[in-house]
Amino acid sequence: LPEGYMETKSIALNYGIESLGWTTDAYVNLPGGFDIHLNFLIREPKYRAFVFRPTFSDGVTEEYNFSGNNVTGLHKVEFTIEPSYSFKSWRFWLTARYVGKQFINTTNTLFFNGRWETFGGINYKLSKNFRLKLNAINILNQKGASGNIGSADLVTDTAEYKNYLMAGKFIRPFTVELGV
């Protein structure tokens, strides 16, 4: 093919995902209506048997092997702390969650940095079946994205992706919600 020419090739793939991890989940009921929920997750999500060999129109066959690479869109570390306070019909709560680095592509050359997610709310129990809720999402108004970039799956040189504007799935901006 002429220099600089790019070809797209679609092929069916069959591969696996494996992960070894540890989760610690604790609920602590403290005196005076205070509770705290702690959750810690550490895992190692990897591709297994992820090898393919496409043959292009010029007869050249390339091998791509992503076995052992980190699975895109999954983080290795997550930590959540959720304190709450209940008094009569009222409940006040906060959640702070750290989500670690997530790889964007199968070559693991592009990634989203880790980030904090913050939530909070006030609940009022009107009756056995009805509650009023006032919730705040993304209290610290963190910016960030998640997901993957399909067109970057084979990228090894990330220079062309620096300061490159792309559409994707972004974390929600600061939002206040009222619910019944």
Side-chain angles (χ1 to χ4, degrees):
L1 297 175
E3 186 176 341
Y5 183 83
M6 296 178 73
E7 180 178 352
T8 300
K9 186 80 172 172
S10 295
I11 59 174
L13 294 175
N14 187 13
Y15 60 89
I17 295 174
E18 64 185 9
S19 184
L20 179 62
W22 179 272
T23 300
T24 299
D25 200 10
Y27 290 89
V28 181
N29 297 328
L30 302 169
F34 290 97
D35 295 313
I36 191 162
H37 173 223
L38 301 168
N39 185 287
F40 177 71
L41 164 71
I42 187 165
R43 63 182 169 195
E44 192 71 26
K46 300 282 188 179
Y47 289 114
R48 183 174 45 88
F50 194 169
V51 180
F52 58 99
R53 295 171 191 84
T55 300
F56 297 96
S57 60
D58 62 354
V60 172
T61 300
E62 294 280 342
E63 178 175 297
Y64 299 93
N65 186 348
F66 302 118
S67 299
N69 284 12
N70 293 290
V71 175
T72 59
L74 292 178
H75 46 274
K76 292 182 177 185
V77 175
E78 181 178 316
F79 175 71
T80 305
I81 181 169
E82 298 176 317
S84 68
Y85 172 70
S86 298
F87 177 74
K88 295 186 182 182
S89 297
W90 293 91
R91 181 173 178 264
F92 303 87
W93 61 274
L94 289 171
T95 299
R97 178 182 306 130
Y98 176 76
V99 176
K101 177 170 78 171
Q102 294 178 342
F103 287 97
I104 299 170
N105 59 352
T106 52
T107 55
N108 292 171
T109 55
L110 296 167
F111 59 89
F112 294 121
N113 291 324
R115 66 178 185 275
W116 281 96
E117 298 173 345
T118 51
F119 314 91
I122 301 170
N123 302 353
Y124 181 75
K125 186 176 179 180
L126 292 169
S127 68
K128 179 181 175 184
N129 297 317
F130 289 99
R131 289 186 172 94
L132 285 177
K133 298 179 179 184
L134 177 65
N135 295 334
I137 310 300
N138 196 359
I139 295 169
L140 300 177
N141 202 22
Q142 296 287 297
K143 308 284 189 271
S146 64
N148 60 31
I149 303 172
S151 63
D153 269 345
L154 302 179
V155 169
T156 54
D157 178 11
T158 61
E160 65 185 83
Y161 288 88
K162 300 289 186 209
N163 299 316
Y164 184 78
L165 180 63
M166 293 174 274
K169 180 179 171 187
F170 296 89
I171 62 175
R172 289 175 62 182
F174 174 72
T175 307
V176 177
E177 302 172 340
L178 180 61
V180 177

